[in-house]
Amino acid sequence: MLLGKVKGKIISTRKHEKLVGYKLLIVEPYYGHKKDTFIAADKLGAGIGELVLVARDYAVKSGLDKDAPIDALVVGIVDREPEKK
Amino acid sequence: MLLGKVKGKIISTRKHEKLVGYKLLIVEPYYGHKKDTFIAADKLGAGIGELVLVARDYAVKSGLDKDAPIDALVVGIVDREPEKK
Amino acid sequence: MLLGKVKGKIISTRKHEKLVGYKLLIVEPYYGHKKDTFIAADKLGAGIGELVLVARDYAVKSGLDKDAPIDALVVGIVDREPEKK
Amino acid sequence: MLLGKVKGKIISTRKHEKLVGYKLLIVEPYYGHKKDTFIAADKLGAGIGELVLVARDYAVKSGLDKDAPIDALVVGIVDREPEKK
Amino acid sequence: MLLGKVKGKIISTRKHEKLVGYKLLIVEPYYGHKKDTFIAADKLGAGIGELVLVARDYAVKSGLDKDAPIDALVVGIVDREPEKK
């Protein structure tokens, strides 16, 4: 999984019907670069500035209640930021 | 998912039969580099210059009506570009 | 999917039996770097110098007639090279 | 698979229920860069400073006793560090 | 698939039981960078210094006799190194 900081959210009015009901968060990798910022779906209620744990690709399927075209899902909110030693 | 800008489309006359009926868009990552430009299939009708949300790899399967060899699919058109802060 | 230029092919005498019958093309990413050159299986008959559309990972399964350990498959031959604007 | 050094662990109180029971390790790629540090689930009992073998994406499924939204799993602890020649 | 040079192997005494019986090779990408060196399972008998074809992620499943948490598998040994033109 990746650690990432929630930077904001996006709004998409014209979208795949299976995406309705998810928040779509802008997530910047905690260890990586801003250029690798991606979008993750969320149902845990992560807020802007929080550090989240994101599962990607095939693993997302197991975290969803029902099938959706989502390749990155917030699966945890991290209690305390680790040091970047 | 990734955010990307639609830069154009490609035409492929000799292609896998299961790809017939999809538009094949040239998508440049919004946060990333031009060198990571990729091709995404689209049925939402995204136009050149629009910002799209693209699902990749396993997640694509859930977004398709029927099975096709597609690893990147437009699943949303973004209402307003987020800041690149 | 990725766009790539066919640079050559490889020959492998000792290989997994399920790979028999596929041409194994050396493909250089069209937008990316030479260092990301990879090998794609082909049954469409792409020739050296042609620009091809390659599906990767899970999507390959849908493009194969039968199960094989292939993670990149040529699914289209592009009619005309897009500009690299 | 990737080789990585265990650098620490993360605690997530609010997390997906299927993640309960796994240690979540901070893993820095052995050959790669610190910026590619990621989080892997562990049940083998790897300790900080140990070199681990991590399976990712679809392969994780086969290593789990039951379904969970995990995309990186420790599948081995390496006896001796290879040279970085 | 990727082309890679076999640089050595790793020994892991404490490992997932489904990994027993596979050689775990250290593989350096032929076109890429040393930093992207990874570990691939092998049953074809590739030796140090040989150039191998490696399938990754979902495609591995088709190359295995039985289920294992392996995300990179040697599926061919290349007869002759291609030029790096």
Side-chain angles (χ1 to χ4, degrees):
Chain A
M1 287 72 71
L2 284 184
L3 288 187
K5 269 284 175 84
V6 179
K7 307 301 280 187
K9 60 179 180 173
I10 61 165
I11 304 294
S12 169
T13 305
R14 286 181 288 162
K15 62 170 175 272
H16 197 288
E17 60 185 10
K18 292 182 180 174
L19 289 180
V20 174
Y22 289 92
K23 275 205 285 190
L24 297 170
L25 302 179
I26 301 171
V27 178
E28 187 178 304
Y30 181 66
Y31 291 104
H33 293 325
K34 192 187 291 282
K35 73 169 181 62
D36 295 316
T37 295
F38 60 94
I39 307 300
D42 179 40
K43 287 218 158 166
L44 290 182
I48 291 181
E50 281 193 298
L51 188 67
V52 292
L53 181 68
V54 180
R56 306 215 292 180
D57 287 330
Y58 185 78
V60 168
K61 179 188 182 176
S62 161
L64 297 175
D65 294 326
K66 58 181 185 187
D67 181 50
I70 289 171
D71 63 18
L73 180 72
V74 173
V75 293
I77 297 171
V78 177
D79 293 6
R80 215 179 43 182
E81 293 192 13
E83 284 179 67
K84 291 191 188 176
K85 18 187 178 189
Chain B
M1 288 72 72
L2 285 185
L3 288 187
K5 270 283 174 86
V6 179
K7 306 302 279 188
K9 59 179 181 172
I10 61 165
I11 304 293
S12 169
T13 305
R14 286 182 288 163
K15 63 170 173 274
H16 196 289
E17 59 186 9
K18 292 180 179 174
L19 290 179
V20 173
Y22 289 93
K23 274 206 284 188
L24 297 169
L25 303 179
I26 300 170
V27 178
E28 187 178 305
Y30 181 67
Y31 292 103
H33 292 324
K34 191 187 292 281
K35 73 169 180 63
D36 295 316
T37 295
F38 60 93
I39 307 300
D42 179 39
K43 287 218 158 167
L44 289 182
I48 291 180
E50 281 192 299
L51 189 66
V52 292
L53 180 69
V54 179
R56 306 216 292 181
D57 287 331
Y58 185 78
V60 168
K61 179 187 181 176
S62 161
L64 297 175
D65 295 326
K66 58 181 186 187
D67 181 50
I70 289 171
D71 63 18
L73 179 72
V74 174
V75 294
I77 298 171
V78 177
D79 292 7
R80 213 179 44 181
E81 294 192 11
E83 282 180 69
K84 292 191 187 176
K85 20 189 175 189
Chain C
M1 288 72 72
L2 285 185
L3 287 187
K5 270 284 175 86
V6 180
K7 305 302 278 190
K9 58 179 182 173
I10 61 163
I11 304 294
S12 169
T13 305
R14 286 182 287 162
K15 63 170 173 275
H16 197 289
E17 58 185 9
K18 291 180 180 174
L19 289 179
V20 174
Y22 288 94
K23 274 205 284 189
L24 298 169
L25 302 180
I26 301 169
V27 178
E28 187 179 306
Y30 182 67
Y31 291 104
H33 292 325
K34 190 187 293 280
K35 73 169 179 64
D36 295 316
T37 295
F38 60 94
I39 307 299
D42 179 40
K43 287 217 161 166
L44 288 182
I48 291 180
E50 280 192 299
L51 189 66
V52 292
L53 181 68
V54 179
R56 305 215 293 179
D57 286 331
Y58 184 79
V60 168
K61 180 187 181 176
S62 161
L64 297 175
D65 295 325
K66 58 181 185 185
D67 181 50
I70 288 170
D71 63 18
L73 180 72
V74 174
V75 294
I77 298 171
V78 178
D79 293 7
R80 214 179 43 180
E81 294 191 10
E83 282 180 69
K84 291 191 188 176
K85 17 183 179 195
Chain D
M1 288 73 72
L2 284 184
L3 288 187
K5 270 283 175 86
V6 179
K7 306 300 280 188
K9 59 179 181 174
I10 61 164
I11 304 294
S12 169
T13 304
R14 285 182 289 161
K15 63 170 175 275
H16 196 288
E17 59 185 9
K18 292 181 181 174
L19 288 180
V20 174
Y22 289 94
K23 275 205 286 190
L24 297 169
L25 303 179
I26 301 171
V27 178
E28 186 178 306
Y30 182 67
Y31 291 104
H33 292 324
K34 190 187 292 282
K35 72 169 181 63
D36 295 317
T37 295
F38 60 94
I39 307 299
D42 179 40
K43 287 218 159 166
L44 289 182
I48 291 181
E50 281 193 297
L51 189 66
V52 292
L53 181 69
V54 179
R56 305 216 292 180
D57 287 330
Y58 185 78
V60 168
K61 179 187 182 177
S62 161
L64 298 175
D65 294 326
K66 58 181 185 188
D67 181 49
I70 289 171
D71 64 17
L73 180 72
V74 173
V75 293
I77 298 171
V78 177
D79 294 6
R80 215 178 44 180
E81 294 190 13
E83 282 179 67
K84 290 191 187 175
K85 16 183 180 191
Chain E
M1 288 72 72
L2 285 185
L3 287 187
K5 270 283 174 87
V6 180
K7 305 301 280 189
K9 58 181 182 173
I10 61 164
I11 304 293
S12 169
T13 305
R14 285 182 288 162
K15 63 169 173 276
H16 197 289
E17 58 186 9
K18 291 180 180 174
L19 288 180
V20 174
Y22 288 94
K23 274 205 284 190
L24 297 169
L25 303 179
I26 301 170
V27 178
E28 187 178 305
Y30 182 67
Y31 291 104
H33 292 325
K34 191 186 293 281
K35 74 168 179 64
D36 295 316
T37 295
F38 60 94
I39 307 299
D42 179 40
K43 287 217 160 167
L44 289 182
I48 291 180
E50 281 192 298
L51 189 67
V52 292
L53 181 69
V54 179
R56 305 216 292 179
D57 286 331
Y58 184 79
V60 168
K61 180 187 181 176
S62 161
L64 298 175
D65 294 326
K66 58 182 185 187
D67 181 50
I70 288 170
D71 64 17
L73 180 72
V74 173
V75 294
I77 298 171
V78 177
D79 293 7
R80 215 178 43 181
E81 294 190 12
E83 282 180 69
K84 291 191 187 175
K85 9 177 188 201

